Amino acid sequence: MEESNNFRDSIATINEDGNRNVIFPKKPKGRFTNYRTYTSWFLLFFLFAAPFIKINGNQFLLFNILDRKFNIFGLPFWPQDFYLLVLSMLVGVVFIILFTVIFGRIFCGWMCPQTIFMEMVFRKVEYLIEGDRTKQIKLDKQKWNAEKIGKKSLKWFIFFVISFAIANAFLAYFIGGDILITHVIDGPLKHSDTLIKLLVFTSVFYFVFAWFREQVCIIACPYGRLQGVLLDNKSIIVAYDHERGESRQKFRKNEDRNTNELGDCIDCKQCVQVCPTGIDIRNGTQLECINCTACIDACDAIMDNVGFDRGLIRYASEDNINKGEKFSFNARIISYTVVLTLLFAFLVTLLFLRNDIQANILRLPGQLYSTQGDSIRNVYTYKLINKTNKSYEDISIRLISHKGNIKVIEGEIFLPKGKFHEGTLFIKIAKKDIHSSKEKLKIGIYSNGALIETDKTNFPAPIQIK
Ligand code: SF4
Ligand code: SF4
């Protein structure tokens, strides 16, 4: 047992001297690879197009941290809506946990940008230029002759161009697609800061995809490291059916493996050779496995060749393999689903309750009321936020709860789409209409005479007012 667990003492990407062990995975082929390829086309298109898609004039996805502007699915979020963003993230985290409990690391294999770019973009370029695994190993070992210099330079140049393209898309999510296009048209001399950001991002992506590669999943990714606590015996993962596969032995033609008590694994090691993280799935569930399905396709092809049933490596749970149990909803899955549904319902309710116009009227700090004849006057700051795509004109601020007068210092207020307006105003109320030292006021915001938002604030006054 001790010996069979030796693989847990080391990782495939580091050799005994502690140096990097470069992985040269064999090019995967098969139905799962095809499905993943189609999925990656869709996701890549989405990733590059999303910063340039507009809904009601809003960028589909925008995460402008510096200007504190966020759009999710075309809905603009302001810093005042931060609780909604936090809640969306909370729902996202619970969703990922639930999803992982049921389907293991299916996200890593099918949807993670790291896997998609690494396996579906950069690795494919590598196969195209350097050939499959054997040719890559040969090229790596050979001296730096014209062939090696030519192939490596071409590969690294294309890697740089792709990294630059990813950096552009990445930046568009942060500064906005329109701004990026404007900066590109204006040229780098006018926007050297944008060029510097692009080059920094490009360097990071180049480093990750040209050198760091699978180590992101093995060493750096926090989600990968959570697998140990999220997965249980019922989670569906890419798994080797050791009940059927063992004991393994090389294939001999016309041999009766049943009589010799041999399993279906012919120890061809094709599943190991295609693995992008360099592991042997036959050792069981491992942190390094990103559920990329390459070993399923490789093993299925071998099973077809030797005339055995497919599925020696397949999507299955530990209980499915050990006890032949089918998938069922256990208490953990049901409780996660209930929490997720409640959070989601809460989020949708808050989204519907969110006002298009937000008004904040606050007393100017440090200012006392003043008495003006028969009236009391207080000074306030106001901020009006337009979260919509239409502009509001002829805005007036009026008292709803009391008779009195509001004077806006700025005079006319115009609220353009997606912008805010702030300033100072005075509220004056006759003493006879004030009934407490901290009168509660209700104030209305009107555009062209129509009420568009209300806000509440306090109105301090002398205690013995009458
Ligand atoms: S073990 Fe299989 S599914 Fe896991 S990373 Fe390796 S090839 Fe992909
Ligand atoms: S590819 Fe299949 S048959 Fe070959 S070593 Fe892996 S599990 Fe065994």
Side-chain angles (χ1 to χ4, degrees):
M1 188 68 194
E2 210 171 276
E3 199 183 338
S4 67
N5 270 328
N6 278 353
F7 69 93
R8 298 205 191 272
D9 298 339
S10 58
I11 54 172
T13 50
I14 298 174
N15 63 26
E16 284 183 358
D17 304 331
N19 294 321
R20 175 78 183 273
N21 195 16
V22 182
I23 310 271
F24 297 98
K26 196 173 168 190
K27 192 173 176 183
K29 286 189 198 96
R31 62 191 169 127
F32 281 107
T33 305
N34 291 342
Y35 296 147
R36 282 180 56 233
T37 305
Y38 304 142
T39 311
S40 73
W41 289 347
F42 169 75
L43 291 174
L44 283 168
F45 172 77
F46 178 79
L47 191 108
F48 281 98
F52 304 99
I53 297 173
K54 296 268 177 75
I55 291 187
N56 294 329
N58 292 322
Q59 186 168 316
F60 189 65
L61 287 174
L62 174 72
F63 307 97
N64 191 336
I65 297 164
L66 289 183
D67 291 343
R68 295 186 291 167
K69 278 186 188 168
F70 303 92
N71 291 350
I72 314 267
F73 303 129
L75 281 175
F77 287 84
W78 287 74
Q80 288 77 3
D81 299 322
F82 192 68
Y83 66 100
L84 288 176
L85 267 185
V86 172
L87 198 66
S88 314
M89 282 178 202
L90 206 64
V91 172
V93 170
V94 178
F95 183 80
I96 288 172
I97 292 172
L98 173 69
F99 203 77
T100 311
V101 169
I102 307 172
F103 296 109
R105 290 179 78 172
I106 205 166
F107 171 82
C108 302
W110 292 77
M111 283 172 274
C112 174
Q114 163 70 22
T115 310
I116 288 176
F117 279 120
M118 188 65 248
E119 303 306 325
M120 296 295 167
V121 180
F122 287 86
R123 193 88 73 190
K124 287 196 171 170
V125 170
E126 201 161 61
Y127 287 135
L128 212 63
I129 296 170
E130 295 185 354
D132 210 342
R133 172 183 158 86
T134 334
K135 286 185 179 166
Q136 284 183 22
I137 295 174
K138 189 170 162 250
L139 187 74
D140 198 61
K141 283 186 181 152
Q142 82 187 39
K143 288 212 172 88
W144 281 95
N145 56 14
E147 184 203 3
K148 187 167 177 175
I149 293 170
K151 283 185 174 172
K152 293 279 180 194
S153 311
L154 178 63
K155 182 180 86 170
W156 290 332
F157 172 71
I158 295 177
F159 277 8
F160 181 84
V161 172
I162 300 171
S163 300
F164 188 71
I166 302 171
N168 273 272
F170 191 68
L171 193 64
Y173 280 97
F174 289 97
I175 64 170
D178 290 348
I179 295 176
L180 181 76
I181 291 173
T182 313
H183 287 195
V184 170
I185 292 170
D186 288 352
L189 288 181
K190 272 194 179 171
H191 302 284
S192 53
D193 56 327
T194 303
L195 182 68
I196 290 168
K197 283 178 201 151
L198 278 176
L199 290 177
V200 170
F201 288 149
T202 304
S203 313
V204 172
F205 289 126
Y206 186 85
F207 167 77
V208 167
F209 295 115
W211 190 81
F212 203 53
R213 305 192 142 196
E214 69 287 336
Q215 298 191 96
V216 171
C217 313
I218 299 172
I219 300 169
C221 176
Y223 177 60
R225 306 200 81 81
L226 273 177
Q227 303 307 309
V229 286
L230 294 179
L231 298 182
D232 64 14
N233 287 350
K234 295 188 190 315
S235 307
I236 296 172
I237 49 169
V238 173
Y240 165 70
D241 188 343
H242 55 89
E243 294 287 337
R244 184 186 142 191
E246 300 299 317
S247 58
R248 63 188 79 158
Q249 190 167 293
K250 296 278 178 215
F251 181 72
R252 286 198 205 99
K253 233 179 179 181
N254 302 325
E255 179 189 28
D256 185 348
R257 293 179 77 93
N258 281 341
T259 312
N260 294 340
E261 293 187 345
L262 295 175
D264 282 355
C265 175
I266 63 164
D267 205 17
C268 63
K269 295 195 170 57
Q270 288 300 304
C271 51
V272 183
Q273 290 190 6
V274 291
C275 181
T277 60
I279 59 167
D280 187 342
I281 189 71
R282 294 173 301 168
N283 289 330
T285 316
Q286 290 152 77
L287 183 148
E288 296 94 320
C289 177
I290 53 166
N291 276 223
C292 74
T293 71
C295 53
I296 300 183
D297 280 340
C299 191
D300 279 351
I302 296 295
M303 293 293 107
D304 288 350
N305 280 346
V306 294
F308 297 163
D309 288 343
R310 286 180 168 196
L312 179 57
I313 301 176
R314 63 177 185 273
Y315 276 117
S317 68
E318 290 278 324
D319 280 355
N320 175 249
I321 288 171
N322 294 330
K323 304 176 195 168
E325 267 182 20
K326 294 261 177 266
F327 172 78
S328 67
F329 280 93
N330 57 22
R332 183 149 72 128
I333 295 173
I334 292 168
S335 51
Y336 277 140
T337 310
V338 169
V339 172
L340 181 69
T341 312
L342 289 175
L343 277 174
F344 190 69
F346 186 50
L347 178 68
V348 172
T349 312
L350 287 178
L351 279 175
F352 274 104
L353 290 178
R354 196 180 75 131
N355 290 349
D356 286 344
I357 303 292
Q358 185 170 329
N360 291 102
I361 301 174
L362 299 168
R363 278 196 52 238
L364 197 65
Q367 288 288 320
L368 279 177
Y369 59 82
S370 60
T371 306
Q372 296 195 335
D374 287 343
S375 301
I376 302 293
R377 194 179 78 160
N378 277 294
V379 60
Y380 295 79
T381 60
Y382 69 90
K383 186 169 186 176
L384 304 176
I385 303 168
N386 182 358
K387 299 175 185 173
T388 69
N389 283 306
K390 67 173 185 187
S391 299
Y392 287 87
E393 295 167 345
D394 190 17
I395 289 179
S396 57
I397 303 176
R398 298 179 217 160
L399 276 168
I400 293 180
S401 57
H402 292 65
K403 281 182 189 164
N405 172 265
I406 293 184
K407 185 168 185 250
V408 178
I409 301 292
E410 288 74 27
E412 270 189 24
I413 304 174
F414 171 64
L415 203 50
K417 57 182 181 181
K419 301 271 182 220
F420 67 88
H421 180 96
E422 56 190 344
T424 311
L425 57 83
F426 292 101
I427 302 180
K428 196 166 150 187
I429 300 177
K431 285 179 184 170
K432 65 179 175 56
D433 293 323
I434 300 170
H435 308 289
S436 74
S437 60
K438 220 176 190 186
E439 199 74 2
K440 301 256 181 268
L441 303 185
K442 187 176 177 189
I443 296 167
I445 316 300
Y446 297 79
S447 171
N448 290 321
L451 183 68
I452 52 171
E453 173 62 330
T454 59
D455 193 25
K456 287 184 177 149
T457 191
N458 288 323
F459 187 86
I463 297 171
Q464 295 297 325
I465 197 96
K466 290 176 184 167

